[in-house]
Amino acid sequence: MLEGMIRLGRALREASPNLEVEQLVQPVRATSDARYVAELNIDTEKGRLEVRSYAFDESQSPKQFLWIGNADGANSPQWLATTDHLEYLLSQTIPSLCKELERAEQEEHLGYTEPPLYTKLVRIRDAWIRKAPSPAGRDISTNETSPQTLTARSSNKGQAERYLQVLDLAKLDILTESQMQACWYDEKGREIHPKGYPQQLAKACLKVWDLKEKEVALWTLAIDGQRVAEFPVYRELVAFKKLRKAFEGNRGICKGCGQLTEITDDLGNMKFKYYNTDKISFASGLDQKRWKENMSLCRSCYAAELAAEAYVQKYLRSKIGDLPFYVIPDVLGTAYVDPREIEEWSKDIRASVETLVNLQGLQKFEENLDAEIQESGAFSYVVNLLFFKRSKAEMRILGLIRDVPFTRIKQLNRAFNEANENALQLLGPVGKNGMWRIDLNAFYYLVPSTKQQGDVAYRNFLRYVDALLQDKKLPYDSLLNSFVQLIRVYRFGQFGKFQIRPPKSGYELFALEMTALQANVLFGLFRRLGQLQGDSFLPWEESTVAGTLGDELFDPSIPVIEQSKRILAAFGYNEIQQGLFWLGYLVGDVALAQYHNNLTNYPILEKINYHGMDKLAVQRLSNDVAEALQRYKRIGWVSEPLFEMMRCLNPYFGAKRWPLRDEEATFYVISGFAVFQQLIRTRQGKQALEEPTQPVKA
């Protein structure tokens, strides 16, 4: 992946060779409510702080205000003049920026501390930077014994002091002294930790300025009407800190291009991490003292990687469900990326991946892109998918799927599209537009991922996506367990534990049914691709499935029992799976009868064990269903599915060995129930499809 990033970055730098600092510009992670960029202007003549707002433009504002992210690492001094955290500008930015200019002057001697920027910053630091007032009006550096002060004077004293150096907002006529002191307390009157003081200060300022935090995408610092980010010496400092400082006096072999030249192994400025120091396999020669030798870059490769990072973050970001990822293209062999066409090229690459995520754009994409891709040689490209999670100041890598060829993406696009067409032929229309949408977004919401202290554990889902894209085996048992777990989520309303969104009130049962139907469509897709491992379905045969489907569209006039047989043939169920399917089908018939007897909570559904059913549990359910069918006088109407259930299950009831896991029994019973419900809906017309909680009328 690193080589691909460097190649992309070189093409970008070739297209814009003079933009050393601009290549570091990053996209803003703003909410949909973001409307402004707010500028804090300190007028050193009048001793006032003024706030000006500018319209936020997602494409132009990051470059205009030189947004390159915050200082790397949550505990690093924040010295950058444009930030997405107001509290930084109100506290540590000015003192930290003074120190950075002083350090750079000592190391480079290029006039970093000459007028006008440095002298203006020093004037502000000396005149309007103060130590925060303590809660009781005391100097916080005295011998206090409160827990907050003890914490500030511990091993993290330096960090705590950084938070307590703040703009004197009383002198600058924004807050009163008592208002500044009141910021030591939260909404419940509890004294806060020193680290939280600047945040409380920011909240107080937002009230005074009548601004909402979510409406401001970026905050930038200005002095006497000139933005700090526009000072040449500031931009030079950014380039020095981010691009040049690390190379002084270091020579070696660059791992990007192989040249003997000035190199650096300090990759702290990079957002994407290419190696770690937790595993000895990342060290050169498996030597713990040689971690850095496998990741040293020259100036050119280093700058190219940073340029590619900024570009990828801005233009090649996408997401599956709520899970964000970057599409990182790589050129194979001698294929050349024309810098003049790189923007269109990257859009095409992202579009190809996004058709997997959301199939709505597939047809248009294929119509427009095929000729373009072949002409530009895009079949020589692969993509890497980098999944991540953002914290306040850092990006945590969740997973990397490497080297997915464009041909594989196209193969999967067609397989997904065919699976949706087959579902429409077999199961009929669904929802308001009638179309099935089995894609990676649907897959994401079929695999419950556990929430742990606010984080979501995506490990299983990423493992499945990696296997799918890399043409590796997908584990049947694990997938089925995920689907059954989701059925339980909808049945018992366990949404708070997982990333699954609750359905509209009253649609919980419909969502449960759709889980089973979509899961069966996915199993068929994986079988056709030859990637399902450990299943006991009948062997996939194109001729059998094609013969089952035929060339005709779904016909709601076909009897439900006959359509169910076609579905079973296409699903490839073995004998015991068929028996459980018919048992679930009969559960649906009983539920319908119960509804018409004013039992709208469907008591028969309470007989199913959603955690899994062994042989005895299946026998009890089959007996309960048979009794209910007699009670509601339905035996004569369902004699064929009842016979099929008994024919398939009775031999296994009498056998010593029950060949299914408990979760499998539950899944196939629910599948039969879901098919029955879906086929009944299709026979009621448009209203039943749009309002799937309304059952069929007698």
Side-chain angles (χ1 to χ4, degrees), residues 599-669:
L599 297 172
T600 55
N601 60 338
Y602 308 116
I604 191 63
L605 297 182
E606 300 297 330
K607 303 291 186 179
I608 300 173
N609 187 336
Y610 296 88
H611 292 274
M613 293 188 289
D614 59 12
K615 180 170 71 173
L616 292 177
V618 172
Q619 284 180 303
R620 285 195 298 270
L621 177 62
S622 63
N623 291 334
D624 290 336
V625 167
E627 290 175 7
L629 290 171
Q630 286 183 325
R631 185 162 59 253
Y632 296 115
K633 299 180 173 56
R634 296 292 301 165
I635 294 290
W637 295 93
V638 294
S639 57
E640 187 173 358
L642 183 60
F643 171 79
E644 288 296 319
M645 179 197 75
M646 297 171 63
R647 179 185 68 80
C648 294
L649 290 183
N650 280 351
Y652 295 96
F653 287 155
K656 291 183 178 180
R657 180 179 173 273
W658 178 254
L660 294 181
R661 294 184 302 112
D662 294 355
E663 292 83 1
E664 289 182 279
T666 296
F667 177 78
Y668 293 113
V669 167

Side-chain angles (χ1 to χ4, degrees), residues 138-199:
R138 295 164 288 153
D139 185 347
I140 202 165
S141 64
T142 61
N143 294 327
E144 297 180 80
T145 57
S146 69
Q148 290 78 11
T149 303
L150 289 174
T151 302
R153 298 179 65 193
S154 67
S155 58
N156 293 325
K157 180 179 179 181
Q159 290 184 30
E161 288 179 351
R162 187 170 82 233
Y163 303 125
L164 297 176
Q165 295 293 318
V166 297
L167 277 171
D168 193 336
L169 296 172
K171 273 190 181 181
L172 292 168
D173 202 24
I174 300 298
L175 302 176
T176 65
E177 185 71 18
S178 60
Q179 285 176 318
M180 289 189 69
Q181 189 171 331
C183 290
W184 273 111
Y185 302 94
D186 63 16
E187 292 79 1
K188 296 183 179 180
R190 297 172 299 194
E191 188 177 326
I192 63 170
H193 186 279
K195 185 176 181 178
Y197 182 77
Q199 296 172 4

Side-chain angles (χ1 to χ4, degrees), residues 668-686:
Y668 293 113
V669 167
I670 295 297
S671 294
F673 170 74
V675 166
F676 177 86
Q677 293 282 89
Q678 169 64 13
L679 294 182
I680 292 297
R681 276 192 295 271
T682 61
R683 281 146 179 78
Q684 289 193 256
K686 190 171 185 293

Side-chain angles (χ1 to χ4, degrees), residues 446-550:
L446 284 172
V447 179
S449 298
T450 309
K451 291 181 181 178
Q452 298 171 341
Q453 297 179 344
D455 280 349
V456 179
Y458 293 108
R459 183 179 304 172
N460 275 350
F461 177 70
L462 289 176
R463 185 161 55 95
Y464 299 151
V465 174
D466 179 74
L468 180 63
L469 295 178
Q470 300 284 9
D471 197 13
K472 295 185 289 191
K473 295 298 183 181
L474 286 149
Y476 162 80
D477 284 347
S478 179
L479 282 167
L480 186 134
N481 288 347
S482 293
F483 300 150
V484 173
Q485 186 177 47
L486 182 58
I487 287 170
R488 288 197 298 271
V489 169
Y490 285 122
R491 183 60 181 163
F492 302 117
Q494 300 170 331
F495 302 105
K497 298 179 181 180
F498 305 97
Q499 95 289 9
I500 306 301
R501 298 171 182 171
K504 182 180 175 182
S505 178
Y507 283 67
E508 293 83 2
L509 185 59
F510 174 69
L512 181 152
E513 297 161 13
M514 288 304 299
T515 293
L517 297 178
Q518 289 178 321
N520 277 284
V521 174
L522 276 175
F523 275 144
L525 169 67
F526 300 153
R527 286 170 60 220
R528 176 169 184 196
L529 291 169
Q531 290 184 248
L532 196 60
Q533 183 180 52
D535 65 283
S536 55
F537 293 120
L538 298 177
W540 175 273
E541 295 182 15
E542 285 283 355
S543 58
T544 301
V545 176
T548 300
L549 291 173

